[in-house]
Amino acid sequence: MLDASTRQQVKATAPILKQHGVLLTSHFYQRMFQHNPELKNIFNQGHQHAGQQQQALAMAVAAYAEHIDAPEVLLPVLERVAHKHTSLGIRAEHYPIVGKHLLASIREVLGEEAAPDSLLDAWGAAYQQLAELLINLENSLYQRAATQAGGWSGWRPFRVVNKQVESAEITSFYLQPADGGALPDFQPGQYVSVQRYIPEWGLCQPRQYSLSDAPGKGWLRISVKREEAQGDAPAGKVSGQLHAALAEGDILQVSPPFGDFVLHQDRATPVVLISAGVGQTPLLSMLRHLLESGSQRPIRYLHAARHGQVHAMKQEVGQLAAQHPVLASTVFYECPQDTDQLGQDYQRAGRIDAEAIREHALLADADYYLCGPQAFMQQQRSQLRASGVAATRIHMEVFGSNAMASD
Ligand SMILES: Cc1cc2nc3c(=O)[nH]c(=O)nc-3n(C[C@H](O)[C@H](O)[C@H](O)COP(=O)(O)OP(=O)(O)OC[C@H]3O[C@@H](n4cnc5c(N)ncnc54)[C@H](O)[C@@H]3O)c2cc1C
Ligand code: HEM
């Protein structure tokens, strides 16, 4: 436990961090990559350009400063960070590197007057406490991932045994361990990291992909959206390479499954799965698992796509709905095309709005799992809350760098 004066100093700097947080962490990343360029192979350089990482770290540090008297309230957030860290292979030995550059950045950005040695000492002690919390959480996640049947640690080579085009933008890859070994049981909703070498950058790059099939199949399936160039933003590096260059028979480096956005399997209550675009991947895993394990929990599946060309897994979900009366599926097309047939390809034109939520999604005592763009999830969350759904029943997965999204 930190002493009272250290806690006081750290807490007093929380407003400064909020004010300068992004500047501070941008400086920090620049400094760290200059001194430790090997870490560029661990950090998502796409997120660096988009500024997401800077914001995520700044918000985490500011939140920690605010809650320094009772850091355990941050445990759910830290657990989410720990899952992301373990999927990326972050180890205890990385923490002193980050700590050194973070402290140096505080001095360099704020100056000696605003950040005297006493303040840096207080922050050094606080960082150490936060690091220990994360290292402990991560050690137990690593331990579980490596020791369970079929488990492993670090990158494991997988062979692509099937590559399946799902829509104009999304392609699935079925992966089996190249060593012929077993696979662990993962929890529906979890993701893996994959690692690819990007020749233009001369770097390896990790990316996370949710597992889109149920556990226990003898393969892991990921379903990847090809990120097209848009305006000034270039095309996605890893997704583009997976689509263009990863063929059946090729090898992909894969981390063990991690992630805390998981189906609550300890309940018999209804399940409502609401997704947009490629956000349906973790929800499909939940859906398949529920149906294949014979669960009688009522399920609502609401999915939003722009139109039929980009509507992935249409047949898969359609077949499941035809076979399983517990499942009611409703597909929304925002801008249906002439070839899209109402009642067959989709059930509703337009977005998932408040009326659609009232009509198709509300079930007593249900859990709601949301995945899609952040604005989409925030809108669905507000609509659910306005309809009386408790915040604790709404669970969200962010396909980006943002540990502070409320659950
Ligand atoms: C938990 C989790 C689960 C996920 N599950 C899935 C999934 O199931 N399926 C899926 O398809 N994706 C999923 N993702 C997203 C995935 O990890 C990748 O982020 C996605 O594939 C894009 O990676 P990329 O390398 O193709 O794009 P990147 O090269 O990383 O680019 C990402 C974005 O940043 C922009 N950008 C890059 N450089 C610049 C620049 N210089 N200036 C401005 N903008 C720039 C790009 O235009 C692009 O929009 C998931 C993410 C997380 C965190
Ligand atoms: C106390 C120290 C740390 C804190 C508070 C922290 C906080 C965070 C947060 C909030 C995220 C975003 C999580 C998410 O996307 O859901 C994150 C992601 C990440 N962290 Fe840390 N972290 C710490 C230490 C480290 C260390 C030591 C490393 C390795 C050198 C590291 C590497 C990463 C990477 C690579 C990501 C993923 C970011 C991306 O590529 O999008 N972190 N961390």
Side-chain angles (χ1 to χ4, degrees), residues 42-44 47 53 56-57 60 81 84-85 88 90 94-95 98 127 130 134 400-403:
I42 301 183
F43 283 84
N44 179 330
H47 285 170
Q53 257 163 22
L57 182 63
V81 177
K84 183 67 78 64
H85 280 172
L88 288 158
I90 309 296
H94 290 120
Y95 280 84
V98 165
Y127 175 83
L130 181 56
L134 281 169
S401 208
N402 183 358

Side-chain angles (χ1 to χ4, degrees), residues 28-30 36 71 73 117 170 173 178 195 250 255 275 291 333 345 349 363 400:
F28 153 76
Y29 277 117
Q30 236 172 15
N36 294 83
V73 300
D117 287 348
I170 296 177
F173 299 86
Q195 192 194 49
D250 286 352
S255 80
S275 62
L291 297 176
Y333 282 0
D345 298 311
L363 288 176

